[in-house]
Amino acid sequence: ILNVEQSPQSLHVQEGDSTNFTCSFPSSNFYALHWYRWETAKSPEALFVMTLNGDEKKKGRISATLNTKEGYSYLYIKGSQPEDSATYLCAFDMDSNYQLIWGAGTKLIIKP
Amino acid sequence: DSGVTQTPKHLITATGQRVTLRCSPRSGDLSVYWYQQSLDQGLQFLIQYYNGEERAKGNILERFSAQQFPDLHSELNLSSLELGDSALYFCASSGWVSTDTQYFGPGTRLTVL
């Protein structure tokens, strides 16, 4: 059974602090890794699609790294703001079989 | 606004009933995905259609079925509804390669009483 694990499950961070969390996925048959941001009462929105080992992507204060050999990706948020409060989901794409395998998400709460 | 539309926004029905959820993908997107999010659960992939044909199947119950029409809109049919089917149902659309971003609709909140 393929499993995508995200840790921690939830995270409380003080406004202004930087933080990071992890997505672990099977290291074999890797095709792509997706990161999504899901705010309460809204729909998930794509952040990054990562395909190459060593990939680093950045969007504003949010960045992500990818290690396909060991099967993990980190998402970093620099200088957290209240609007960063959301659940961050990763999804693993194996061998382009069209079905993403989703992690349960890391719920990030920014304390003002 | 992702460009993906879903109707209805809310649906309240009784056990044993049948409902149809509708999704219109973004203009130009050929793939449609259906997901279920139950209380305190993550996103569960149900099924994917590409240009009218079923492409991938996830944990979709036999009581559920879906189709994608020639105009690319999709419908998810849920029958013999049970209390446990109460959930938020999302539709997403994307282009033709799996590395394409999936764009999610606003969801349909189904409540089975």
Side-chain angles (χ1 to χ4, degrees), chain A residues 31-34 36 38 41-51 89 93 95-100 102-105, chain B residues 1 33 35 37 41-45 48 55-59 88 90 96-107:
Chain A
Y31 192 79
L33 193 283
H34 299 244
Y36 282 79
W38 191 4
K42 293 189 177 180
S43 308
E45 288 183 350
L47 285 172
F48 307 114
V49 179
M50 309 179 81
T51 56
L89 298 167
D93 185 350
D95 267 353
S96 183
N97 69 352
Y98 313 117
Q99 178 182 339
L100 295 182
W102 293 80
Chain B
D1 183 1
Y33 308 78
Y35 293 91
Q37 192 229 349
Q41 299 286 315
L43 277 176
Q44 298 295 318
F45 168 71
Q48 183 206 355
R55 178 174 263 187
K57 216 168 190 176
N59 299 321
L88 190 52
F90 283 108
W96 68 281
V97 293
S98 63
T99 49
D100 284 345
T101 294
Q102 290 187 22
Y103 293 88
F104 283 77

Side-chain angles (χ1 to χ4, degrees), chain B residues 80-92:
Chain B
S80 303
L81 284 167
E82 301 175 0
L83 295 177
D85 297 327
S86 296
L88 190 52
Y89 291 85
F90 283 108
C91 165

Side-chain angles (χ1 to χ4, degrees), chain B residues 4 23-33 48-55 67-74 91-97 100-101 103:
Chain B
V4 178
C23 168
S24 291
R26 284 190 335 148
S27 175
D29 282 353
L30 299 179
S31 284
V32 168
Y33 308 78
Q48 183 206 355
Y49 280 83
Y50 175 76
N51 203 20
E53 295 197 4
E54 183 185 304
R55 178 174 263 187
Q67 54 184 326
Q68 187 180 26
F69 294 88
D71 67 353
L72 300 177
H73 90 270
S74 178
C91 165
S93 76
S94 75
W96 68 281
V97 293
D100 284 345
T101 294
Y103 293 88

